[in-house]
Amino acid sequence: MPPAEYFVRLQHGITGGFAPPTPDAVYTLTQASGQPSLAITAAVRDSGTPSLQDAAPKSVTPDDRTTALVDELHGILKSIPTESPPGSEDIYGMDTSIAWGSDDLEWYNGGPQGCGGGTSTVKATEEHKAKFKRAVEIVQQLVKD
């Protein structure tokens, strides 16, 4: 069962270099303790536009399917590594980051300012990459619901 309170952020567009990354989308899901619904916000940059545009926030009342997806996501993130040092390299090769915060787990890849072109001492295996891809799919599914 997922934690009663958690925060998830998915960002597409984390790789940079000399200049910081330009995100294409940022999705945030928040389940506050005692709240009956999952709050979802989104900011998306349309192709050719310079900045993210906020989409209308929405909320989803968790059902068994939502709970199962969040539980799966939580389990995946507990089992895969992050780059070291933080923000050094996109070890999953998807130009995407996930940040998770709950009482029992703080996990993020890509660093707070994205990946800046360093080399990570931690490398993701093909199994780790497949799990991360599934984690991204779960967040995208939760945002669509």
Side-chain angles (χ1 to χ4, degrees):
M1 185 158 179
E5 203 172 297
Y6 59 89
F7 167 90
V8 181
R9 188 191 81 234
L10 176 83
Q11 178 176 322
H12 293 292
I14 64 166
T15 54
F18 182 72
T22 303
D24 293 322
V26 177
Y27 302 101
T28 305
L29 297 83
T30 306
Q31 179 65 62
S33 183
Q35 294 297 315
S37 60
L38 179 63
I40 300 172
T41 61
V44 179
R45 184 171 61 89
D46 292 326
S47 181
T49 60
S51 59
L52 294 169
Q53 302 297 313
D54 290 333
K58 65 179 185 175
S59 61
V60 173
T61 302
D63 57 15
D64 289 344
R65 183 179 159 281
T66 303
T67 301
L69 287 171
V70 172
D71 193 39
E72 182 183 359
L73 174 63
H74 184 245
I76 289 170
L77 296 178
K78 282 182 148 183
S79 73
I80 60 176
T82 60
E83 73 280 357
S84 181
S88 58
E89 180 181 359
D90 179 11
I91 64 172
Y92 294 105
M94 291 183 63
D95 196 23
T96 300
S97 72
I98 295 176
W100 171 284
S102 64
D103 286 344
D104 69 331
L105 178 65
E106 285 190 26
W107 190 99
Y108 68 90
N109 71 306
Q113 301 299 321
C115 291
T119 301
S120 174
T121 59
V122 174
K123 302 296 181 192
T125 65
E126 289 305 313
E127 180 183 353
H128 293 146
K129 289 177 182 180
K131 286 182 176 184
F132 183 78
K133 182 179 180 184
R134 174 63 184 146
V136 170
E137 290 169 354
I138 290 169
V139 177
Q140 291 172 330
Q141 186 62 51
L142 289 168
V143 168
K144 287 180 189 173
D145 285 352

